[in-house]
Amino acid sequence: MRIAVIPGDGIGIETTAEAVEAVRAVGDVFGHRFDIEKLPWSADHFLRTGITMPPNGYAMLRDDFDAIFIGALGDPRVPDNRHARDILLGIRFELDLYVNYRPVKLLDARLCPLKDRSVADVNFVVFRENTEGLYVGIGGRFKAGTNDEVSIQEELNTYKGVHRIVKHAFEFAKATGRRRVCMADKSNAMTQGHALWQRVLKEVAPQYPGVEARHLYIDALVLLMVQNPAQFDVIVTNNLFGDIITDLGAALQGGLGLAASGNLHPGRTSMFEPVHGSAPPLAGKNVANPIGAILSAALMLESLGLKQEAAAIEAAVQDAVVTGNGTKEIGGSLGTRETGDYIASHVRKSGPDRADVASG
Ligand code: IPM
Ligand code: MN
């Protein structure tokens, strides 16, 4: 299996190294050959060469690789964030990765910032539309920099785009036995664009009689996510709202360092990245939490059909978190590398369930 790895900037470089180590551990234990190719695209690379992504970059990722792993992108030396736009958003758009899959799962009750919550109370997934919305860059600035400046940025909602993400959320619920799907929009104020989300929910929900469909305005959703997150199973929403609520979701599970994501186009080459950013002040200090990156690698393996392998990584992460073998911000005393080593060695000890391998 061929995997493209773009470590990117800042702590992305360090956390990606640990995710790669976990994948290699799985490869050794389960007997898979992972062909891991590192690609240099990053702020450094851009500042050195003037190139964010080579012209054939997207086609190469799509055609030559089975999956893509990205660390994090963002560097104060590139103030307009052009390289992040071309690399991260560019891959989402060009490879048409319309599903941004962000599980929110509390691994240890002590990590939840809410009072008296158990792990069962925080366990839902967010599906964020990933190819349109306010991220398409339609708009412009007129008389920029003057007191007469007018700036416009349009939100794009297409029937195709809204339908496929809402449908995906219901399909996921059905396939995984989750009983509730909540669609969040702002159709009370955005009466044009978000009327389409309303229409699609009404059209798709009845096709899934076993799944309870619900609608919430996005402001009410964030309130309820904090007051009682246990009521959510699957949340589906647009690109920007999904961006915002998945940072809140990360907080509910113990911080950005723990949150994983997959940018998917089911059946095609997809891209995986931790939700955390490049965190320039933490870079190079061996303090960043690699778990979000490692769990993103598990999502990658799962999407490649390697379920048992993904589960082995998840079990290792679970163990590291509950035994305190992690970074400082989750109550441990280990560095990035040591946390990664702990998890990889746990994976190496676990190994495949031979009975399953033999029968499957
Ligand atoms: C994310 C990030 C990106 C986004 C940024 C870096 C453009 O915040 O993946 O959540 O807004 O999508
Ligand atoms: Mn974000």
Side-chain angles (χ1 to χ4, degrees):
M1 253 170 270
R2 295 204 70 199
I3 300 171
V5 172
I6 305 170
D9 303 326
I11 62 166
I13 298 166
E14 297 158 66
T15 63
T16 297
E18 305 314 317
V20 167
E21 193 185 331
V23 169
R24 291 211 189 282
V26 153
D28 293 345
V29 171
F30 288 83
H32 300 301
R33 203 182 120 80
F34 295 111
D35 226 334
I36 294 176
E37 187 168 329
K38 265 207 192 117
L39 299 168
W41 308 329
S42 60
D44 269 341
H45 181 261
F46 171 61
L47 292 167
R48 224 176 28 244
T49 64
I51 293 167
T52 57
M53 281 274 290
N56 64 341
Y58 305 116
M60 179 188 92
L61 289 173
R62 187 189 57 223
D63 300 337
D64 298 352
F65 292 94
D66 298 296
I68 306 156
F69 188 93
I70 293 197
L73 294 159
D75 186 302
R77 294 169 303 162
V78 187
D80 66 1
N81 225 14
R82 185 186 327 182
H83 68 303
R85 198 174 58 226
D86 286 358
I87 300 168
L88 179 63
L89 301 183
I91 293 172
R92 289 178 185 167
F93 289 126
E94 297 293 327
L95 275 67
D96 198 31
L97 307 178
Y98 64 93
V99 177
N100 198 324
Y101 170 41
R102 295 186 162 183
V104 177
K105 188 167 188 250
L106 181 63
L107 297 179
D108 190 339
R110 75 186 161 80
L111 296 178
C112 188
L114 307 178
K115 270 181 293 180
D116 305 326
R117 295 290 165 190
S118 70
V119 291
D121 291 330
V122 182
N123 183 2
F124 58 91
V125 310
V126 176
F127 288 109
R128 162 185 177 188
E129 201 294 319
N130 213 29
T131 49
E132 42 187 59
L134 270 163
Y135 275 67
V136 293
I138 296 176
R141 296 173 74 186
F142 180 52
K143 299 187 181 175
T146 75
N147 289 346
D148 294 324
E149 176 164 352
V150 176
S151 74
I152 293 176
Q153 185 135 10
E154 296 283 359
E155 187 183 282
L156 179 80
N157 294 282
T158 69
Y159 177 78
K160 174 185 160 187
V162 176
H163 187 268
R164 64 184 181 175
I165 190 69
V166 171
K167 181 109 186 151
H168 185 86
F170 278 92
E171 281 293 328
F172 177 89
K174 189 176 160 185
T176 59
R178 290 189 182 254
R179 288 187 293 93
R180 292 162 297 190
V181 172
C182 175
M183 187 277 279
D185 64 20
K186 190 63 191 168
S187 53
N188 51 349
M190 301 180 65
T191 52
Q192 310 303 314
H194 290 190
L196 179 56
W197 284 80
Q198 291 287 318
R199 173 192 156 194
V200 168
L201 182 65
K202 288 195 180 83
E203 185 182 314
V204 172
Q207 298 164 16
Y208 297 85
V211 180
E212 181 193 311
R214 180 184 189 189
H215 166 257
L216 284 172
Y217 298 125
I218 188 68
D219 47 353
L221 172 68
V222 294
L223 174 102
L224 294 174
M225 277 174 72
V226 172
Q227 278 186 340
N228 178 17
Q231 67 195 285
F232 298 110
D233 260 347
V234 176
I235 295 172
V236 59
T237 190
N238 67 46
N239 209 338
L240 182 67
F241 295 169
D243 177 48
I244 297 167
I245 67 166
T246 51
D247 267 36
L248 174 57
L252 296 179
Q253 67 187 116
L256 265 182
L258 294 163
S261 86
N263 300 258
L264 321 172
H265 185 127
R268 294 200 201 161
T269 299
S270 295
M271 183 243 289
F272 300 83
E273 42 149 3
V275 180
H276 70 71
S278 59
L282 303 182
K285 296 185 176 151
N286 196 38
V287 296
N289 191 341
I291 285 180
I294 292 170
L295 288 175
S296 301
L299 291 183
M300 175 174 80
L301 298 177
E302 197 188 336
S303 94
L304 291 169
L306 305 176
K307 287 206 165 46
Q308 229 191 339
E309 291 81 346
I313 292 184
E314 280 161 11
V317 166
Q318 174 77 43
D319 175 272
V321 169
V322 300
T323 59
N325 282 290
T327 45
K328 286 215 175 61
E329 96 291 359
I330 58 165
S333 57
L334 302 184
T336 310
R337 281 190 297 275
E338 293 72 22
T339 302
D341 290 349
Y342 181 91
I343 292 167
S345 67
H346 191 289
V347 168
R348 284 179 198 281
K349 270 182 275 174
S350 63
D353 176 336
R354 284 291 157 202
D356 266 26
V357 170
S359 64

